[in-house]
Amino acid sequence: MICENVIYTQKKLAQRYGISIAALQRWYPFAGIIKPKKRGGYFDGSTVEIADIFYVAVKIRRLTFKEYLQQVIPAGGLDCYLQKVNNMTLYDFLTKHISDEEQANEIVQVVIKRIECHEAYKSASTTVTSIA
């Protein structure tokens, strides 16, 4: 499985989430997104990952911006928050506890694949370390 690292302009990132640029800009302080310094600059892969998680929290888990800032961030992220509050991982939430329509969402699919990629990397890393 290949994990992609794509960069986006502000306009393309807003389109990715189906929101306006102004709405995306309102996400910045809550999600911890740093706008590129250069006009017309690009968001790197790590910023897109942050935005994807924020999207899942707000659109799929239906948290408010304030709840995200006051509860999810201090908990250590959405995965830790879900484990603490709902006794499930983010992966379990996205694969077992949301509707089929929500599971088919492009952003949800990307987050699921990213988690699977991360787990595959951790597993391979652990195997190599234990052999050495």
Side-chain angles (χ1 to χ4, degrees):
M1 177 183 295
I2 298 172
C3 295
E4 294 184 28
N5 190 12
V6 179
I7 57 175
Y8 288 86
T9 62
Q10 189 170 231
K11 180 180 178 182
K12 290 289 184 185
L13 194 59
Q15 289 173 345
R16 174 181 174 89
Y17 303 116
I19 59 175
S20 68
I21 292 173
L24 179 67
Q25 290 172 344
R26 285 192 295 274
W27 284 19
Y28 295 167
F30 297 99
I33 297 171
I34 299 171
K35 182 179 177 184
K37 292 178 182 169
K38 184 178 173 186
R39 182 179 170 100
Y42 295 96
F43 292 95
D44 64 8
S46 61
T47 303
V48 174
E49 286 182 31
I50 291 167
D52 285 352
I53 294 296
F54 187 75
Y55 174 88
V56 167
V58 172
K59 298 291 184 181
I60 306 300
R61 180 58 176 78
R62 295 172 184 81
L63 295 170
T64 66
F65 289 10
K66 194 173 185 179
E67 288 172 328
Y68 188 85
L69 188 62
Q70 294 177 345
Q71 297 173 22
V72 175
I73 299 297
L78 188 56
D79 188 44
C80 294
Y81 171 80
L82 289 172
Q83 288 179 40
K84 181 180 174 184
V85 173
N86 299 106
N87 252 358
M88 71 180 79
T89 65
L90 176 58
Y91 183 81
D92 286 341
F93 173 71
L94 294 176
T95 58
K96 300 175 185 170
H97 297 283
I98 61 175
S99 71
D100 291 341
E101 182 180 323
E102 290 172 322
Q103 283 182 8
N105 179 296
E106 178 184 345
I107 305 305
V108 170
Q109 288 299 307
V110 168
V111 171
I112 290 170
K113 286 179 185 169
R114 196 176 291 130
I115 292 168
E116 289 171 346
C117 238
H118 180 71
E119 290 303 316
Y121 175 79
K122 274 182 23 183
S123 175
S125 175
T126 303
T127 303
V128 170
T129 304
S130 64
I131 292 173

